[in-house]
Amino acid sequence: MAKPLVPDDLWQRVEPLLPKRRRSRHRQYAGRRPVDDRKAFEGIVFALKTGVPWADLPATSQWPSGVTCWRRMTQWHRAGVWKRLLESLLAEMQARGLLHWERALVDRAHLRAPGGGRKTGPSPVDRRKRGSKHHLLTDAEGTPLSIELTAANRNDITQLRKLVESIPPVRGKPGRPRRRPKSLQADRGYDSESHRRALKKEEIKPVIARRKTPHGSGLGKTRWPVERSLSWLYQFRRLRTQFEKTAPPHRALMLLACARICYRRLTP
């Protein structure tokens, strides 16, 4: 039996986060009945996994048209649904002891953006074609904690502090929510003395390889989970290429993909 696209326990986590609709005062002229939220969510997940263009996602008995799914996805993103979904899953992982705060891992990956748009620029690794970057911060086991999107020509170091500041307050255990790892590991692209000092002020130990030093720092032995998480991220084909002209729709897909990765770790 094939696994459902949206399991019941995942939908039970998503449904309470969705904004409530206002009922029309004029019931006689209320217009077309709105699309069921679960069907719209299934259409969004299908487009994220397969990479099908929104205009080519046909309306079926399982989900509405691609345009409707895109509109619902952006509405929910403005309402903060995807951000709260990721935070709730992280809190559930924290309660089960599945988050490892002894160190955080940072890395980035390039993707093409053939249509251009915001958050795109000439890629230094793809003959200056239009592209973007995903910057990802995870815990020691590769669980996504924060993610950012930039143009392909933005320097990696510009996103380090933003990634750390974007870690949500993770609840799940008694006491104050957890927001800071004990240490942070990164490669030479994040080498900066000012950022090392800033991390130390936040009581985070910087473990960052230095430029112009021999290779063989040994960080690769413990930093590989973030690279694995980036490969997990690109199992969602919609994220392999930047098609959205503006950043919010793509960021919504990024947050939903991170939430799906957390859900997989909760229900292996």
Side-chain angles (χ1 to χ4, degrees), residues 73-244:
M73 180 191 71
T74 53
Q75 289 174 352
W76 290 344
H77 178 62
R78 287 195 295 267
V81 171
W82 311 124
K83 182 180 178 181
R84 294 199 303 272
L85 175 61
L86 178 58
E87 291 177 1
S88 65
L89 290 169
L90 288 173
E92 194 172 343
M93 294 184 70
Q94 176 79 339
R96 297 189 189 182
L98 297 177
L99 289 182
H100 303 271
W101 295 94
E102 61 268 19
R103 64 180 183 272
L105 313 172
V106 178
D107 206 353
R108 73 285 178 196
H110 292 259
L111 62 153
R112 288 187 173 183
R118 299 190 63 185
K119 301 286 187 178
T120 66
S123 176
V125 300
D126 194 17
R127 295 173 292 176
R128 296 187 61 80
K129 293 181 180 179
R130 304 294 292 184
S132 301
K133 275 184 186 179
H134 288 143
H135 303 262
L136 182 66
L137 184 147
T138 72
D139 75 340
E141 295 297 323
T143 302
L145 297 178
S146 64
I147 189 169
E148 296 293 337
L149 176 72
T150 66
N153 57 339
R154 286 294 300 275
N155 197 302
D156 299 338
I157 192 61
T158 61
Q159 302 304 305
L160 183 59
R161 293 186 64 180
K162 189 173 183 180
L163 283 169
V164 174
E165 293 169 357
S166 299
I167 299 175
V170 180
R171 296 171 173 83
K173 289 187 177 181
R176 297 178 62 183
R178 187 71 184 263
R179 294 198 65 172
R180 295 290 179 263
K182 294 181 179 179
S183 64
L184 185 142
Q185 294 182 340
D187 61 17
R188 288 171 172 78
Y190 299 90
D191 182 22
S192 168
E193 289 302 325
S194 62
H195 284 74
R196 284 189 177 90
R197 290 193 295 268
L199 289 172
K200 289 177 181 177
K201 286 184 180 179
E202 296 286 340
E203 298 182 352
I204 301 174
K205 179 183 177 181
V207 185
I208 304 173
R210 296 183 181 273
R211 293 190 178 95
K212 300 180 181 180
T213 58
H215 286 270
S217 61
L219 291 178
K221 296 178 181 178
T222 53
R223 207 178 57 82
W224 62 267
V226 66
E227 298 174 355
R228 181 190 60 185
S229 295
L230 284 169
S231 71
W232 285 345
L233 204 66
Y234 295 132
Q235 289 179 2
F236 301 98
R237 296 184 179 180
R238 189 71 192 182
L239 295 181
R240 295 181 185 178
T241 306
Q242 162 69 300
F243 289 113
E244 279 69 32

Side-chain angles (χ1 to χ4, degrees), residues 11 18-19 21 31-44 59-72 75-76:
W11 176 244
L18 302 180
R21 292 197 196 94
R32 187 186 304 174
R33 180 177 296 178
V35 173
D36 180 69
D37 286 338
R38 180 164 185 171
K39 290 185 177 181
F41 182 64
E42 288 182 351
I44 295 167
T60 65
S61 59
Q62 191 173 358
W63 53 67
S65 68
V67 175
T68 301
C69 292
W70 181 89
R71 187 183 301 116
R72 197 68 63 87
Q75 289 174 352
W76 290 344

